[in-house]
Amino acid sequence: MKIWSIALRSLRREWRGGELRIVALALTIATTAVVSVASFGDRLHQTLARQGSELLGADLVVHVQAPPKSDWIVRADELGLRHARVESFRSVVVAGEYTQLAEIKAVENGYPLRGILRIADSLESIDRPANGVPDPGEVWVDAQLLTQLHLNIGDSVDLGKQRFKITRLLTLEPDRGGVAFTMAPRLMLNLEDLPATGLVQPGSLVHYHWLVAGSEQQIQVFKDWMLARGLLDTDLRDASNAQPRFRVALDRGESFLLLATLVSVLLAGIAIARSVRHYAQRQWDNAAVMRCFGARQNEITAIYVTQLLVLALAVSLLGAALGFLGQQVFVNILSGLVAGELPLPTWRPVALGVAVGVITVIGFGLPPLLRLKDVPPLRVIRRDLGVLPVRARLVYGIAFISFAVLVIWTAKQIGLILWVLGGTVATILVLSGVSLILIRLLARSRASVHVSWRFGIAAIARHARSSTSQIVALGIGIMAILLLTMVRADLWEQWQISLPPDTPNHFLINIQPDQLSEVESFFEQQGLVSRPLTPIVRARLISINGRTVDPEDYRDGFARRQVQRAANLSWAEELQPDNKVVQGKWWSSEQFKDGLLSVELGYAEALGLKLGDELVYRIGDKELSVAVSNYRTVAWDSFRPNFFLLVPPDLLTEFPSSYITSLYLPREQNAKIREIIERFPNITDIDVDALLGQVRRVLNKVNTALQFIFVFTLGAGLVVLWAALTATRSERRKEIAVLRALGARSADLRLGLIAEFVVLGSLAGSVGAFAAAVTGWGLSKFLFELPYEANIVMWFVGVLLAVLLVVSASYLAIRADLKTPPWQSLRESD
Amino acid sequence: MREVNNALVEAQNLVKQVSSPEGTLTILDGVSLSIVAGEAVAVVGVSGSGKSTLLGLLAGLDTPTSGTVHLNGVDITELDEDGRAQVRADSVGFVFQSFQLLTSLTALENVMLPLELAGRSVPERDAKAELARVGLGERLHHYPSQLSGGEQQRVAIARAYVAKPRILFADEPTGNLDAQTSHHIVELLFSLNDEYNTTLVLVTHNPELGERCQRSFELEGGMLRGKA
Ligand SMILES: Nc1ncnc2c1ncn2[C@@H]1O[C@H](COP(=O)(O)OP(=O)(O)OP(=O)(O)O)[C@@H](O)[C@H]1O
Ligand SMILES: [Mg+2]
């Protein structure tokens, strides 16, 4: 009780002292940033989950080799989930003399559960959302099928034993997208009509998709229930594993956002550490007096720890509240990404923010306060008695551990953790070492320079320890600011480069070898720029290492689907820039005829392939034997044609192949595509424009969010500077007063101070720029997996920024002291 | 009475007021005095009577609300801050009750400061000699925190005398020291005063110090009582 009231009273009194305000400000910035970013992440995830759901047509898709079992349906109904069956297969569609292989999709009423199906009344009319699915007896088809069968809306087609009337043109299916290049034209009918066609017989290859939708909790309960009944994770698709292209881009964005936040927290921590240390020094007298009047050591500790905790909690709550309110900004950023209302924020980010605030204050601020109990009571008589300064190792140790806890806790990616921690430690070490060396060198040079510079330099050299910590603090601040501005800009540019405006939005597949020259000249005529034509050979996997492949051997749904259908083999002389060999070796020119196979890493893992495995494929009536020679990773978000399987260029010359290409076509030129399909009816067009636009929009929003967070980081950096200045201010005031009493002219003093600040700033700036360059390189190389180019400008900007910032801020802070009559300063310094 | 133009320090009708929450506070109320070269004078009075304030004004470390101070024949109240700094660098030394050494400088560097500020050559030799004179020749590279209070005051005295000022101002130079040490410091001050013929202006409560001076001014409520 006594301790409580002493702590609070002194907290109120000391609030005016300055240091505690800095602690509060730094903490507010840190918690506000954490809460804002965490809420943003939270909402972005919910938003994207919903969007992912739209791309699936459901929240959860069960993809197994049979229609849903009746107990599944019972359970889903019990949980109040909506559900719809979709069955798809390939079949020939006949219209008079024309036939065409099409992808048939039979849908149950209610499809799609998420997203919208869009239809039009004719090829020329504008499309609109569909209300429901085709009525029994009717079918909807896409433009491709209509063109290839030379039909119009209202005509009839035969499918199996049944005749249907075409009533609508299908323009958009939410769940039709993704990476598969084998899509044939589409025909959609009502599931009720399917039995009558007689097309689905035991043994026919049908894909059964069961679409389920509901609230997040319901879906989770249902998913767990399904998994408990022996279904595999890979049989169940939800938004989180849909759309790998999205995920890659988004993960990068999120990592960077998190990084920016952590940097703000780190900067705030540095400011707090400095301010609390200074505060503790000022508390020596009070502690000594309290000890004199009988306070026990642990009471002293309790008083100051209570004080710090009360402050930490109060300010963290304030920051969290601000962050929570600040979410409105993010609502604006995110608006337009999804239709309808944004998902509501959750309380998790607020709790996180408060916890981060308290941990930061304890980690960075506690050590110097813990030493207050060691103040000798004799200090009351002999003022020169102090406490031993806290050992730097202890301060940095505790601060580092608490920062590590924060990083590990908030970051999900181990790479980010390692880079941030490694970068921080390396920076602190390098900065301290370099600063000390530079300070020593400076001390030597001081005899040879003008008296003012000599004072400035001498001041730095004489305060070697405090100068070093000042340079380190500023250097980290500069590093953070540079890292975030420059590297962010670099990364953003890389994103732009990897998704330039002319990123292909159409894939044309199934181009026959004898059409190549014709197609190419058509492109030329139309002024279309297409990527090189890439060959594909369709091949069915029959054995691995002599063992016949049976889809039933694969528990993994993805692997099972891959071996069930024909694979696309392509060939290449060289590795595409968006591919990377991670194990094994790419082929040399002597091996161009050899039976080698390069496999995408995820594909190899799903099928359990090892380097050296012998795979036999059937192509038409021939067989081809290849050995796995390397694994590749593929940047799927590059929007180029990419393949799971590649062979050397001269291996498949004997086999029948078709070609694919990709091209960019502005929306308003879509008629050209129709023209191509009309001229070459066997060619299929896959339109990924919508998907591409979506990826771009998400990246844009993440970038905007980054800029917003950057304001916090900048704020935190300035607080560090302020803390450093406040900590040294009273000593500086006294120094200035004494120098003036001894006859120093203000011009000399000013020049000396500027010299000191310039030197301090350039030291901090150059080391900070160096650290930023190294960390940026590491981040982009190992974490974001983007090419990184060192930015020389950054060095100059860094040094300049630091000098400018330090000189102007310090000078502004100290200017008043240059004018105060020295007597007054000396009186106050006693 | 001495001729006015012989005076080294000449104060006329000094008034110092400060504004406080309770209104304007008059600390000094029309103080006039003059001090001749080579003299040693004491300023005495009860605590709060305005001694330190007067000393600050005489030394040009502070500006009066009204009145003038002539130092060495120059009206320092007419000068700007840099002008006063120049006067101080040329002819004034200080010793403070709380020493006011720069904690980041060694004893030697503290003593070198006035010489460096005045742009003198070879400041190091003079500073070492001065420190030896106050008995700290062996402690050149110690920082103030490594010295006792008496030793710190001796460094401050060395710093005050090193530039051979014509006048030395000291505000309770023995106020923070024990009797024995005070005695040493007083001896030191006066021996240097003799050696360099420096004018001494001391604020003190120490009777020993007061007795050693030729004259003393007593302040009471911001005004001079009958002059000695
Ligand atoms: N800047 C200021 N603001 C307000 N009051 C002041 C200021 N400077 C001095 N005073 C007041 O003026 C009076 C004289 O102060 P001064 O320090 O000159 O006294 P002093 O005679 O030196 O006392 P002591 O012997 O205790 O040192 C005191 O009452 C003091 O509180
Ligand atoms: Mg006084």
Side-chain angles (χ1 to χ4, degrees):
Chain A
M1 190 54 221
K2 181 183 73 177
I3 284 168
W4 186 244
S5 68
I6 293 177
L8 288 189
R9 223 180 315 128
S10 122
L11 182 62
R12 210 172 324 134
R13 193 175 56 237
E14 295 300 340
W15 177 249
R16 264 173 283 135
E19 300 96 343
L20 294 184
R21 287 190 208 186
I22 295 180
V23 171
L25 184 68
L27 200 58
T28 310
I29 290 178
T31 43
T32 309
V34 168
V35 174
S36 312
V37 167
S39 330
F40 176 72
D42 217 42
R43 291 188 129 191
L44 186 68
H45 268 287
Q46 292 186 52
T47 306
L48 287 173
R50 182 179 290 180
Q51 201 164 52
S53 297
E54 284 177 10
L55 293 169
L56 282 177
D59 292 328
L60 185 73
V61 175
V62 184
H63 186 182
V64 288
Q65 280 171 300
K69 301 206 170 86
S70 54
D71 59 330
W72 299 357
I73 296 175
V74 169
R75 181 72 184 138
D77 287 337
E78 264 174 29
L79 285 168
L81 295 166
R82 293 187 295 136
H83 50 87
R85 285 162 60 192
V86 175
E87 296 180 10
S88 55
F89 55 92
R90 289 186 166 215
S91 178
V92 171
V93 181
V94 183
E97 54 187 305
Y98 297 103
T99 61
Q100 172 66 42
L101 188 69
E103 193 91 31
I104 313 297
K105 186 166 178 177
V107 298
E108 203 173 19
N109 285 327
Y111 166 91
L113 302 179
R114 297 277 184 221
I116 350 172
L117 199 61
R118 294 182 75 87
I119 52 173
D121 293 326
S122 70
L123 277 173
E124 288 74 36
S125 56
I126 294 170
D127 65 349
R128 58 182 152 82
N131 263 329
V133 299
D135 287 332
E138 297 179 356
V139 293
W140 297 348
V141 300
D142 65 2
Q144 201 181 343
L145 191 66
L146 214 56
T147 319
Q148 282 163 351
L149 291 175
H150 302 269
L151 292 176
N152 283 311
I153 303 294
D155 294 344
S156 291
V157 285
D158 292 333
L159 183 66
K161 293 186 262 180
Q162 221 33 50
R163 173 159 296 190
F164 294 94
K165 186 175 176 207
I166 303 175
T167 53
R168 297 277 184 274
L169 182 73
L170 261 178
T171 56
L172 182 81
E173 289 166 69
D175 51 343
R176 184 183 190 180
V179 238
F181 297 124
T182 54
M183 240 179 292
R186 165 73 82 213
L187 181 146
M188 183 180 284
L189 75 158
N190 196 299
L191 191 66
E192 284 176 28
D193 284 337
L194 194 57
T197 63
L199 287 173
V200 178
Q201 306 291 337
S204 43
L205 186 60
V206 179
H207 290 284
Y208 296 94
H209 291 99
W210 188 40
L211 277 48
V212 183
S215 75
E216 206 177 315
Q217 293 97 318
Q218 290 169 336
I219 289 290
Q220 195 53 50
V221 170
F222 187 63
K223 204 172 157 185
D224 293 340
W225 185 83
M226 293 286 277
L227 290 174
R229 304 194 85 72
L231 271 94
L232 292 176
D233 227 6
T234 42
D235 296 329
L236 304 173
R237 274 163 65 83
D238 58 21
S240 64
N241 55 25
Q243 300 309 328
R245 287 171 174 165
F246 248 169
R247 293 245 59 88
V248 177
L250 203 67
D251 282 349
R252 281 179 189 165
E254 271 202 290
S255 297
F256 205 80
L257 208 53
L258 194 60
L259 187 71
T261 316
L262 287 174
V263 168
S264 308
V265 174
L266 178 66
L267 287 176
I270 293 171
I272 290 170
R274 275 204 78 87
S275 299
V276 175
R277 201 173 72 190
H278 190 231
Y279 175 68
Q281 261 167 31
R282 284 208 305 115
Q283 291 304 309
W284 286 355
D285 286 334
N286 291 341
V289 170
M290 282 192 280
R291 293 272 285 126
C292 247
F293 290 110
R296 276 171 289 132
Q297 285 195 317
N298 53 13
E299 284 173 332
I300 301 277
T301 304
I303 286 169
Y304 286 103
V305 171
T306 308
Q307 219 176 66
L308 193 69
L309 284 182
V310 168
L311 184 72
L313 208 64
V315 178
S316 299
L317 282 170
L318 173 76
L322 283 178
F324 201 69
L325 290 178
Q327 278 191 121
Q328 196 51 43
V329 177
F330 287 122
V331 174
N332 292 338
I333 292 178
L334 286 177
S335 68
L337 255 192
V338 277
E341 286 280 294
L342 265 185
L344 281 176
T346 64
W347 282 102
R348 202 191 72 96
V350 174
L352 184 75
V354 173
V356 165
V358 173
I359 292 180
T360 309
V361 169
I362 291 176
F364 286 84
L366 203 54
L369 288 186
L370 288 181
R371 294 304 295 263
L372 277 174
K373 68 172 170 37
D374 298 328
V375 171
L378 196 61
R379 185 179 158 84
V380 176
I381 303 162
R382 295 198 49 197
R383 286 213 55 214
D384 50 321
L385 287 178
V387 270
L388 292 172
V390 192
R391 262 194 255 119
R393 235 178 303 150
L394 182 71
V395 180
Y396 287 131
I398 295 185
F400 180 74
I401 290 170
S402 53
F403 188 58
V405 168
L406 286 182
V407 174
I408 291 169
W409 186 21
T410 45
K412 287 152 212 132
Q413 287 159 292
I414 198 84
L416 185 71
I417 296 171
L418 293 178
W419 272 106
V420 172
L421 289 184
T424 313
V425 174
T427 307
I428 290 175
L429 289 181
V430 169
L431 281 171
S432 316
V434 171
S435 323
L436 263 182
I437 293 170
L438 290 177
I439 287 170
R440 294 258 156 78
L441 289 178
L442 273 179
R444 281 205 197 132
S445 76
R446 74 192 232 225
S448 55
V449 291
H450 179 261
V451 61
S452 300
W453 282 87
R454 192 157 75 234
F455 274 115
I457 292 169
I460 296 177
R462 291 201 202 96
H463 308 231
R465 210 183 307 137
S466 100
S467 301
T468 305
S469 77
Q470 211 160 320
I471 291 175
V472 170
L474 284 174
I476 290 184
I478 295 290
M479 170 188 116
I481 290 169
L482 285 180
L483 195 64
L484 289 188
T485 30
M486 299 300 224
V487 180
R488 185 193 64 83
D490 281 357
L491 286 180
W492 177 239
E493 209 169 287
Q494 296 297 347
W495 278 344
Q496 297 284 30
I497 290 171
S498 64
L499 276 187
D502 59 346
T503 301
N505 53 0
H506 286 272
F507 288 88
L508 295 179
I509 63 174
N510 222 2
I511 304 169
Q512 296 308 305
D514 56 350
Q515 295 174 323
L516 280 184
S517 56
E518 226 181 317
V519 168
E520 272 172 345
S521 64
F522 177 81
F523 282 164
E524 218 166 290
Q525 252 173 32
Q526 296 287 326
L528 296 176
V529 186
S530 69
R531 305 290 145 124
L533 290 149
T534 315
I536 294 184
V537 169
R538 302 197 38 89
R540 190 170 283 275
L541 180 63
I542 46 180
S543 73
I544 299 176
N545 291 334
R547 245 196 83 162
T548 308
V549 170
D550 179 357
E552 293 305 313
D553 291 347
Y554 293 95
R555 298 255 298 147
D556 182 289
F558 171 79
R560 194 161 56 214
R561 285 192 287 280
Q562 291 308 316
V563 297
Q564 256 171 9
R565 60 168 168 238
N568 292 322
L569 294 185
S570 184
W571 60 83
E573 286 181 22
E574 285 172 13
L575 204 57
Q576 271 187 189
D578 54 351
N579 282 216
K580 204 163 75 188
V581 170
V582 288
Q583 220 182 324
K585 269 187 70 180
W586 188 252
W587 35 80
S588 61
S589 54
E590 296 90 64
Q591 294 174 307
F592 279 0
K593 274 186 141 28
D594 297 359
L596 300 175
L597 185 69
S598 170
V599 190
E600 195 263 345
L601 188 64
Y603 188 95
E605 280 167 357
L607 268 75
L609 297 178
K610 290 179 293 300
L611 287 184
D613 277 356
E614 284 285 337
L615 275 62
V616 176
Y617 282 96
R618 176 171 296 133
I619 305 169
D621 53 357
K622 292 187 205 143
E623 286 190 358
L624 173 78
S625 173
V626 287
V628 178
S629 78
N630 63 64
Y631 300 142
R632 273 173 303 130
T633 54
V634 172
W636 292 109
D637 55 341
S638 73
F639 278 84
R640 294 161 173 249
N642 262 304
F643 298 91
F644 287 130
L645 304 165
L646 287 175
V647 297
D650 299 335
L651 185 65
L652 294 178
T653 40
E654 308 287 299
F655 296 93
S657 61
S658 68
Y659 287 77
I660 80 168
T661 189
S662 57
L663 71 157
Y664 170 72
L665 206 61
R667 257 263 156 271
E668 58 278 7
Q669 289 186 32
N670 265 357
K672 289 189 178 167
I673 287 285
R674 213 160 285 159
E675 223 172 298
I676 294 174
I677 293 170
E678 250 162 51
R679 264 189 70 175
F680 310 102
N682 58 300
I683 295 179
T684 302
D685 163 50
I686 297 170
D687 183 348
V688 292
D689 206 56
L691 182 65
L692 193 59
Q694 197 65 12
V695 171
R696 280 221 178 86
R697 271 197 297 282
V698 170
L699 288 184
N700 263 320
K701 310 240 153 177
V702 172
N703 192 42
T704 313
L706 270 174
Q707 277 162 345
F708 178 73
I709 280 306
F710 176 70
V711 174
F712 286 90
T713 315
L714 198 67
L718 290 177
V719 176
V720 170
L721 192 61
W722 186 25
L725 288 172
T726 309
T728 50
R729 174 139 188 231
S730 59
E731 196 179 334
R732 260 187 215 292
R733 278 170 71 95
K734 181 185 147 182
E735 266 185 34
I736 290 173
V738 170
L739 285 169
R740 294 249 317 269
L742 297 177
R745 284 178 308 133
S746 48
D748 285 342
L749 285 177
R750 201 176 303 133
L751 207 62
L753 284 171
I754 290 177
E756 179 182 348
F757 295 143
V758 165
V759 173
L760 262 184
S762 6
L763 289 184
S766 41
V767 191
F770 174 74
V774 173
T775 315
W777 171 80
L779 280 176
S780 33
K781 185 161 170 64
F782 299 106
L783 186 59
F784 297 115
E785 290 178 2
L786 291 169
Y788 173 72
E789 279 155 38
N791 197 333
I792 290 295
V793 182
M794 185 162 95
W795 290 75
F796 292 109
V797 172
V799 176
L800 220 67
L801 186 76
V803 171
L804 222 70
L805 221 63
V806 174
V807 172
S808 50
S810 315
Y811 189 70
L812 280 180
I814 215 85
R815 200 185 41 172
D817 299 331
L818 283 173
K819 297 225 178 84
T820 326
W823 201 235
Q824 199 175 314
S825 307
L826 289 174
R827 196 181 261 281
E828 282 163 14
S829 82
D830 276 341
Chain B
M1 278 253 87
R2 289 157 217 265
E3 285 286 319
V4 165
N5 48 10
N6 273 349
L8 185 62
V9 182
E10 168 89 37
Q12 269 165 356
N13 221 0
L14 279 181
V15 175
K16 179 72 180 177
Q17 293 174 322
V18 293
S19 48
S20 70
E22 288 86 36
T24 308
L25 181 71
T26 304
I27 306 171
L28 288 181
D29 196 1
V31 173
S32 303
L33 54 79
S34 82
I35 298 165
V36 228
E39 229 182 347
V41 299
V43 179
V44 295
V46 294
S47 180
S49 55
K51 304 182 295 292
S52 298
T53 308
L54 177 62
L55 198 73
L57 290 174
L58 293 180
L61 290 172
D62 204 355
T63 49
T65 310
S66 68
T68 56
V69 176
H70 284 79
L71 241 181
N72 219 356
V74 180
D75 182 357
I76 57 170
T77 44
E78 290 281 286
L79 297 174
D80 63 1
E81 192 43 54
D82 276 347
R84 287 196 293 273
Q86 190 60 48
V87 172
R88 288 197 296 270
D90 291 342
S91 46
V92 178
F94 291 96
V95 176
F96 306 95
Q97 177 177 0
S98 51
F99 324 140
Q100 302 288 13
L101 297 177
L102 295 192
T103 49
S104 58
L105 304 192
T106 60
L108 179 62
E109 286 169 330
N110 263 296
V111 177
M112 276 164 60
L113 261 183
L115 298 176
E116 290 187 303
L117 288 170
R120 309 266 179 91
S121 55
V122 237
E124 202 167 320
R125 200 192 53 204
D126 290 356
K128 278 181 179 162
E130 201 60 48
L131 273 169
R133 203 161 294 156
V134 300
L136 290 173
E138 309 298 312
R139 311 293 296 272
L140 298 181
H141 302 294
H142 285 77
Y143 286 93
S145 59
Q146 297 165 315
L147 300 171
S148 74
E151 286 163 344
Q152 288 186 51
Q153 195 59 304
R154 278 192 275 163
V155 174
I157 290 171
R159 182 177 68 179
Y161 276 114
V162 72
K164 313 277 181 317
R166 296 197 60 193
I167 180 162
L168 181 95
F169 292 97
D171 190 0
E172 299 184 41
T174 59
N176 274 351
L177 304 170
D178 59 76
Q180 181 97 21
T181 316
S182 294
H183 180 70
H184 282 306
I185 294 292
V186 172
E187 286 305 316
L188 194 58
L189 275 173
F190 280 93
S191 69
L192 291 167
N193 169 235
D194 285 346
E195 196 172 330
Y196 301 132
N197 195 29
T198 309
T199 308
L200 269 183
V201 181
L202 305 171
V203 167
T204 186
H205 291 297
N206 182 339
E208 184 194 352
L209 200 47
E211 277 162 26
R212 297 282 297 265
C213 296
Q214 284 109 2
R215 287 199 293 156
S216 69
F217 298 104
E218 191 180 353
L219 273 176
E220 196 182 86
M223 287 187 271
L224 281 185
R225 252 169 73 162
K227 287 181 204 175

